[in-house]
């Protein structure tokens, strides 16, 4: 289905000088959805602000993957009560994954009756329509679509960066890992047509973008259900042909589906970067089975070894869950051994969080919070040591860096990433932003590198 973008253009004049603010929680999927909400709002004349106090529209794009993600939204909405009392014209909207949970939208309306619009992940393209109804009819709008809809193409996107862009290649997830709520709130897998993906990337390149990250909960199962027969490896090879594009990244790869044809495509395609986000979750076979992950520690290690032998400069990043029901000290030790063996470049470690409707929520032997925290601290310390060691090995080497902007901590410095996704800060002229430069690493910090541009 194609979005009717011109329909938005009639409203531009009415919204001149009005501002909106979007707070985004969760993963890159939500980031990309927020870029589309922002794109639609700009198209109808609004401008973006980061300051809620001056905004006419405030949107919370929510996440429910862990309990703390939800708590952040409650806190934020509570604080808006006074602002809405002072300014009744303020429009407050909540959307995203949290709203897709059964009964959640009604619960939110009860708790925060001053919210004006609630919608879910499958109908966010209708936001301008909802906004119009609130403004013209003065009603409260709540619309949650339970089942995934047809993919909507052609939405305007207001991207955060001018250099690199997220491009969603598929929506939803079919895996049902026993701890995870994502399949319940994002629906089943649906792939975008390759032509639509290629056209979007060509448009980005024409605007000067150098890097794309292809997004999906499990990019390796791309293509299923499409009329055209195509795999993820084929898609990588096709995107690699796009002239002017410099770098291709992708996330997330499920270890059970990362086949050798994908490994060979990464090896053969000059634009595909040597970096793989390969969430392992646990190093214990017993826990992996309980998690419904469909691979063993040995298979994961074998895969990582094979990838390293084909792609020598490759770096691996991962996600880890600590405190899954029934986890023992022995299981944690197995995860520690795996971290040391794979030598991850980054590890996102999460405390297991009970999620409604998921099988793991009903499992016995839930782990007490203090034990979870203790194990978490242990895992984080070991991962950090491994990461620092990997960074140390980069010292003295020269890397190609895509300059993304100025460093967050020091505006006088530039920042960017190597092809294998290491973060590098260095001195240089702002004119280099958006360009590829060669940088020699002079010092490794725990989570970043300091470099010097090679003339
Ligand atoms: N589809 C991706 C995958 O399979 O790796 C990413 C899914 S999720 C958005 C990102 C990470 O959140 C997962 O890899 C997992 O480590 C973590 N996660 C998911 N559910 C969780 C839960 N109930 N408690 C703690 N962490 C969770
Ligand atoms: Fe969640 Fe598993 Fe799907 Fe990732 S693959 S989104 S962890 S169910
Ligand atoms: Fe992402 Fe959170 Fe939804 S992790 S898919 S925004 S539940």
């Amino acid at each position: 289905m194609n979005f009717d973008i011109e329909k938005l253009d009639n409203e531009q004049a009415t919204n001149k000088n009005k501002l909106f603010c979007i707070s985004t929680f969760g993963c890159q999927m939500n980031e990309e959805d927020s870029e589309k909400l922002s794109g639609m709002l700009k198209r109808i004349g609004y401008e973006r602000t980061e300051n809620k106090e001056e905004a006419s529209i405030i949107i919370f794009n929510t996440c429910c993957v862990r309990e703390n993600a939800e708590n952040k939204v409650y806190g934020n909405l509570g604080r808006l009560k006074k602002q809405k009392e002072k300014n009744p014209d303020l429009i407050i909207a909540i959307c995203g994954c949290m709203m897709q949970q059964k009964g959640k939208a009604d619960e939110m309306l009860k708790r925060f009756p001053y919210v004006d619009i609630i919608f879910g992940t499958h109908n966010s393209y209708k936001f301008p329509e909802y906004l119009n109804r609130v403004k013209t009819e003065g009603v409260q709008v709540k619309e949650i679509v339970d089942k995934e809809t047809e993919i909507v193409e052609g939405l305007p996107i207001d991207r955060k960066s001018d250099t690199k862009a997220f491009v969603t290649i598929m929506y939803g997830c079919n895996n049902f890992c026993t701890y995870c709520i994502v399949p319940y709130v994002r629906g089943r897998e649906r792939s975008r047509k390759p032509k639509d993906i290629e056209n979007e990337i060509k448009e980005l390149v024409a605007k000067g973008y150098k890097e794309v990250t292809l997004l999906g909960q499990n990019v390796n199962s791309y293509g299923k259900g499409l009329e055209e027969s195509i795999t993820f490896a084929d898609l990588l090879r096709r995107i690699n042909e796009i002239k002017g594009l410099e770098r291709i990244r992708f996330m997330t790869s499920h270890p059970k589906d990362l086949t050798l044809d994908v490994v060979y495509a990464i090896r053969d395609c000059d634009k595909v970067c040597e970096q793989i986000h390969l969430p392992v979750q646990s190093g214990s076979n017993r826990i992996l089975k309980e998690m419904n992950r469909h691979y063993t520690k040995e298979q994961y290690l074998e895969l990582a070894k094979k990838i390293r032998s084909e792609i020598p400069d490759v770096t691996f990043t991962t996600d880890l869950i600590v405190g899954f029901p029934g986890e023992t000290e022995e299981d944690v030790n197995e995860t520690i051994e795996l971290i040391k063996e794979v030598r991850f470049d980054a590890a996102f470690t999460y405390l297991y969080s009970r999620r409604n409707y998921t099988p793991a929520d009903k499992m016995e032997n839930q782990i007490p919070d203090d034990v979870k925290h203790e194990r978490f601290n242990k895992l984080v310390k070991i991962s950090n040591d491994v990461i620092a060691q990997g960074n140390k090995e980069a010292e003295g080497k020269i890397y190609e860096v895509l300059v993304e902007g100025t460093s967050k901590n020091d505006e006088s410095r530039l920042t960017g990433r190597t092809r294998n996704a290491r973060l590098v800060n260095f001195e240089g002229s702002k004119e280099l932003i958006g360009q590829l430069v060669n940088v020699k690493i002079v010092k490794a910090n725990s989570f970043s590198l300091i470099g010097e541009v090679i003339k």
Side-chain angles (χ1 to χ4, degrees), residues 27 65-66 173 177 179-182 216-218 252-254 277 279 281 293 319-321 348 350-355:
C27 67
V65 79
R66 284 170 290 276
C173 180
C177 302
Y179 50 83
C180 186
I181 200 168
V182 171
Q217 293 298 350
N218 180 14
T252 297
S253 287
H254 194 306
H277 184 57
Q281 315 296 359
R293 291 289 288 180
D319 292 345
L320 299 166
I321 294 181
F348 303 94
Y350 303 110
L351 289 165
Y352 167 70
S353 171
R354 293 177 82 158
R355 301 287 70 206

Side-chain angles (χ1 to χ4, degrees), residues 72-328:
K72 279 184 209 159
V73 174
Y74 297 136
N76 268 287
L77 276 169
R79 282 191 289 278
L80 279 189
K81 189 169 185 234
K82 282 220 167 77
Q83 192 175 337
K84 179 82 177 179
E85 276 166 7
K86 257 198 261 164
N87 173 16
D89 289 337
L90 171 69
I91 294 174
I92 303 174
I94 340 176
C95 59
C97 294
M98 195 174 158
M99 297 307 111
Q100 288 293 144
Q101 296 174 89
K102 253 184 242 145
K104 188 59 94 178
D106 289 325
E107 183 194 318
M108 296 298 275
L109 281 182
K110 235 190 210 159
R111 196 161 160 186
F112 307 102
Y114 44 90
V115 166
D116 300 281
I117 309 174
I118 294 190
F119 55 99
T121 53
H122 301 311
N123 54 338
S124 56
Y125 67 97
K126 285 190 167 172
F127 178 56
E129 212 175 293
Y130 303 146
L131 189 60
N132 225 340
R133 284 189 56 202
V134 171
K135 293 204 293 191
T136 54
E137 300 165 31
V139 291
Q140 200 172 39
V141 178
K142 183 199 83 178
E143 197 165 290
I144 309 291
V145 179
D146 284 335
K147 243 188 102 48
E148 55 278 358
T149 46
E150 210 187 316
I151 292 175
V152 182
E153 293 290 348
L155 286 164
I157 309 187
D158 171 39
R159 300 185 192 267
K160 268 196 175 157
S161 160
D162 297 327
T163 308
K164 53 177 197 174
F166 291 133
V167 175
T168 301
I169 61 165
M170 58 189 298
Y171 298 89
C173 180
N174 289 357
N175 288 312
F176 291 94
C177 302
T178 54
Y179 50 83
C180 186
I181 200 168
V182 171
Y184 304 89
V185 294
R186 285 272 171 183
R188 295 296 71 71
E189 279 175 10
R190 290 142 286 150
S191 293
R192 283 178 76 193
K193 291 188 187 118
K195 199 86 216 120
D196 288 330
I197 299 169
E198 276 174 325
N199 287 343
E200 182 175 341
I201 298 176
K202 282 181 187 161
E203 270 177 39
L204 286 165
V205 171
K207 286 183 189 151
Y209 283 83
K210 299 277 196 305
E211 177 181 306
V212 291
T213 300
L214 310 177
L215 290 182
Q217 293 298 350
N218 180 14
V219 288
N220 304 294
S221 63
Y222 172 78
K224 286 183 192 141
L226 283 178
E227 253 172 57
E228 188 175 338
S229 161
I230 182 166
T231 64
F232 180 56
D234 299 333
L235 182 74
L236 283 178
R237 289 182 192 274
R238 269 169 78 161
I239 297 174
N240 196 57
E241 296 300 314
I242 297 178
K243 287 203 177 63
L245 181 66
E246 300 281 356
R247 289 176 168 194
I248 304 166
R249 301 189 191 278
F250 55 88
M251 71 186 294
T252 297
S253 287
H254 194 306
K256 78 173 164 62
D257 294 320
L258 208 168
T259 47
L260 286 183
D261 64 331
V262 175
V263 178
Y264 298 144
I266 304 169
R267 179 196 63 191
D268 299 343
C269 296
D270 59 332
K271 293 171 185 166
V272 178
C273 293
E274 299 76 19
Q275 173 229 346
I276 304 182
H277 184 57
L278 198 60
V280 66
Q281 315 296 359
S282 168
S284 151
N285 286 340
R286 196 178 58 82
I287 296 290
L288 286 171
K289 195 158 194 289
E290 293 283 306
M291 286 176 162
N292 194 31
R293 291 289 288 180
H294 295 281
Y295 54 84
T296 61
K297 172 178 83 177
E298 290 75 19
Q299 283 165 336
Y300 186 95
L301 289 171
E302 195 51 42
L303 178 63
K305 200 165 134 198
K306 175 72 182 162
I307 296 171
R308 268 203 213 282
S309 73
E310 294 293 338
I311 311 160
D313 281 339
V314 75
T315 54
F316 292 103
T317 57
T318 202
D319 292 345
L320 299 166
I321 294 181
V322 69
F324 185 83
E327 183 192 67
T328 62

